[in-house]
């Protein structure tokens, strides 16, 4: 999944969709969901280990967005606002459920020789495996920064912490994931 970067035309189109959806245009809301549903679901799955729970939380996010969309004052802020809702619901969900006894590991990476044609897939698996090993705060900032293309100030608004804390989490998360990926890659060689 490539990072989502807004170009001016995309941003304007999104703002128009938001305005139309705020005016009860269901097709416009459906179009907003089509733009963001996979990315929001991916974000939630990175934060919750249970796919069924992640699906439930994702559905709850869209229900909340639908209900609260008329209160959004700035259509240009939709993306950050959407991820703020997602963040809040994930945090609420984590607080409600009992602590996981142990974290499910991803399926083991294939050992032995991996052909060149699978190098990119292997790298993606290593990244996903690495993400699963990070703290939830580190996973969250990496997902928002590199998959959604949010700037540190926007991420700070989503997770409600100072931008300096976001930059610090990014720094340490990148170091940790690099170590995990390099360690796993070398162990499989």
């Amino acid at each position: 999944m490539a990072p989502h970067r807004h170009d001016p035309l995309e941003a304007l189109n999104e703002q128009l969709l938001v305005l139309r959806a705020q005016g009860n245009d269901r097709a416009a809301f459906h179009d907003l969901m089509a733009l963001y549903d996979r990315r929001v679901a991916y974000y939630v799955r990175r934060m919750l280990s249970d796919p069924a729970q992640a699906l439930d939380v994702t559905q709850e996010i869209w229900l909340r967005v639908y209900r609260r969309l008329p209160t959004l004052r700035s259509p240009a802020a939709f993306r950050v606002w959407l991820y703020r809702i997602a963040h809040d619901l994930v945090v609420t969900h984590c607080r409600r459920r009992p602590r996981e006894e142990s974290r499910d590991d991803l399926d083991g990476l294939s050992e032995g020789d991996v052909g060149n044609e699978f190098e990119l897939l292997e790298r993606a698996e290593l990244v996903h495996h690495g993400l699963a090993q990070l703290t939830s705060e580190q996973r969250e900032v990496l997902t928002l920064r590199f998959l959604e293309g949010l700037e540190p100030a926007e991420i700070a608004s989503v997770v409600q912490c100072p931008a300096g804390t976001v930059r610090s989490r990014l720094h340490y998360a990148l170091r940790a994931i690099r170590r995990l990926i390099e360690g796993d890659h070398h162990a499989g060689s």
Side-chain angles (χ1 to χ4, degrees), residues 50-64:
D50 183 317
Q53 290 175 352
L55 180 61
D56 289 345
V57 170
T58 301
Q59 290 173 344
E60 192 175 338
I61 289 165
W62 285 113
L63 183 60
R64 187 162 295 177

Side-chain angles (χ1 to χ4, degrees), residues 118-150:
F118 295 110
E119 187 173 325
L120 192 57
L121 177 61
E122 179 187 43
R123 199 71 167 158
E125 283 188 44
L126 286 170
V127 170
H128 289 294
H129 178 71
L131 277 172
Q133 305 306 308
L134 298 177
T135 67
S136 62
E137 291 87 3
Q138 290 172 333
R139 271 194 315 274
E140 183 172 38
V141 296
L142 282 177
T143 301
L144 291 171
R145 177 70 180 123
F146 294 106
L147 295 176
E148 273 308 307
L150 294 180

Side-chain angles (χ1 to χ4, degrees), residues 43-173:
Y43 167 78
V44 173
R45 281 193 312 270
R46 293 299 107 214
M47 305 309 296
L48 302 174
S49 60
D50 183 317
Q53 290 175 352
L55 180 61
D56 289 345
V57 170
T58 301
Q59 290 173 344
E60 192 175 338
I61 289 165
W62 285 113
L63 183 60
R64 187 162 295 177
V65 167
Y66 182 77
R67 288 179 179 155
R68 292 186 179 174
L69 191 57
T71 67
L72 178 64
R73 292 179 189 210
S74 171
F78 177 77
R79 185 167 56 140
V80 171
W81 179 79
L82 169 65
Y83 280 99
R84 179 74 207 139
I85 289 171
H87 167 82
D88 288 348
L89 285 172
V90 166
V91 168
T92 299
H93 179 77
C94 288
R95 286 182 183 151
R96 278 191 294 211
R97 71 182 171 145
R99 276 286 203 207
E100 292 180 28
E101 306 247 340
S102 65
R103 183 156 173 74
D104 291 335
D105 291 329
L106 295 177
D107 292 335
L109 298 173
S110 56
E111 298 194 20
D113 294 334
V114 176
N116 287 338
E117 63 272 14
F118 295 110
E119 187 173 325
L120 192 57
L121 177 61
E122 179 187 43
R123 199 71 167 158
E125 283 188 44
L126 286 170
V127 170
H128 289 294
H129 178 71
L131 277 172
Q133 305 306 308
L134 298 177
T135 67
S136 62
E137 291 87 3
Q138 290 172 333
R139 271 194 315 274
E140 183 172 38
V141 296
L142 282 177
T143 301
L144 291 171
R145 177 70 180 123
F146 294 106
L147 295 176
E148 273 308 307
L150 294 180
E151 295 298 324
E154 293 173 314
I155 297 169
S157 176
V158 169
V159 301
Q160 293 187 323
C161 72
T165 301
V166 168
R167 285 190 288 276
S168 176
R169 287 178 185 171
L170 281 168
H171 172 77
Y172 287 109

